[in-house]
Structures are given as C-alpha cells and as structure tokens.
Amino acid sequence: MATAFVFSGGANLGAVQVGMLQALHEAGVRPDLLIGTSVGAMNAAWRAGAHPDDGAEELAVTWRCPKARQPM
C-alpha cells in the first residue's frame, strides 16, 4: 500500500504542515506520493527535493524567518 502526504492550501496552514512533517519523520513514515495545492504545493515540492533524513527542520526555519531564505 502506498503512503501519500496531502498538503492543503490556505496561507498560514502551510506552517502547520511543518509540524505534520516533523511528526511523520520522527515516526519513520515516508511518503510514496506527495500531493499539494497552493502553499501546500510549495511544501510538497520542498519535501520532494529534501534528503530523506533531513526531516522538516530546514522548512521550519524558512517558515519562521522567510526573509532569511530569499536570494539577494
């Protein structure tokens, strides 16, 4: 059976998704499929490109201080 992570849209709900990713990572749950819309699509894209052992800490830093991650 495949495991899908589904990320909803909704502005600041994207920050809540970081907690979900952290909890799932700590529980050892890995996705086979990522689905997202709006801000959820951005988080899903980040997760798709992240190293499997990274968890969600880098994404959490981005959500806490988005200006720190913007290119100059």
Side-chain angles (χ1 to χ4, degrees), residues 7-60:
F7 299 82
S8 66
N12 62 351
L13 292 178
V16 174
Q17 295 167 3
V18 175
M20 176 205 65
L21 283 172
Q22 289 172 323
L24 289 169
H25 178 77
E26 289 172 11
V29 179
R30 303 290 183 263
D32 298 307
L33 177 67
L34 299 163
I35 302 166
T37 185
S38 191
V39 73
M42 293 190 304
N43 283 344
W46 176 89
R47 178 57 185 89
H51 187 275
D53 295 330
D54 284 345
E57 189 54 38
E58 185 178 332
L59 185 59

